[in-house]
Amino acid sequence: MEGKYKQRLMSAGRPEDGDRPSLKEQYEEKEKKELVVQKSAVMKLSQIYTAIIRAVMSALALVGGVSLVRPEMRQVLAGIVLEAVREIKGF
């Protein structure tokens, strides 16, 4: 039985090296041209806005952390938050 399968495999033969390009040449990544785009003013404004928002959020997180540690500060912070909510509802 081995002879039967071996004959089939051998009869298929191997392609000659000159018939087709090598796999490396066939699937090699082609050189790509890159287009460089300068940052626009909108991108800079977006980055500035993000930096400001992060700073404000960090400050609020710090205040919240301090108010959790010190009970008297917790009451002050609660009063400030309630006053802010009343102001917002007033608009």
Side-chain angles (χ1 to χ4, degrees):
M1 288 186 89
E2 283 184 35
K4 179 174 137 181
Y5 293 113
K6 191 172 187 180
Q7 289 173 0
R8 280 190 197 171
L9 292 175
M10 296 304 284
S11 65
R14 299 182 80 188
E16 296 296 322
D17 290 337
D19 291 347
R20 290 188 276 168
S22 69
L23 290 176
K24 184 176 181 181
E25 293 171 355
Q26 189 175 0
Y27 293 105
E28 187 175 29
E29 190 172 320
K30 305 292 187 241
E31 187 175 323
K32 296 179 183 178
K33 293 182 180 179
E34 294 183 9
L35 178 64
V36 178
V37 179
Q38 295 180 356
K39 289 185 177 181
S40 66
V42 175
M43 288 297 295
K44 289 180 183 177
L45 287 175
S46 174
Q47 290 174 347
I48 292 170
Y49 175 75
T50 303
I52 291 171
I53 294 298
R54 284 184 180 170
V56 169
M57 290 299 192
S58 297
L60 289 175
L62 180 64
V63 169
V66 169
S67 70
L68 288 175
V69 173
R70 311 241 345 175
E72 62 272 2
M73 297 293 283
R74 194 176 316 155
Q75 292 173 350
V76 172
L77 181 65
I80 292 172
V81 169
L82 289 173
E83 186 65 30
V85 169
R86 285 188 203 119
E87 290 289 327
I88 291 172
K89 284 184 179 179
F91 288 112

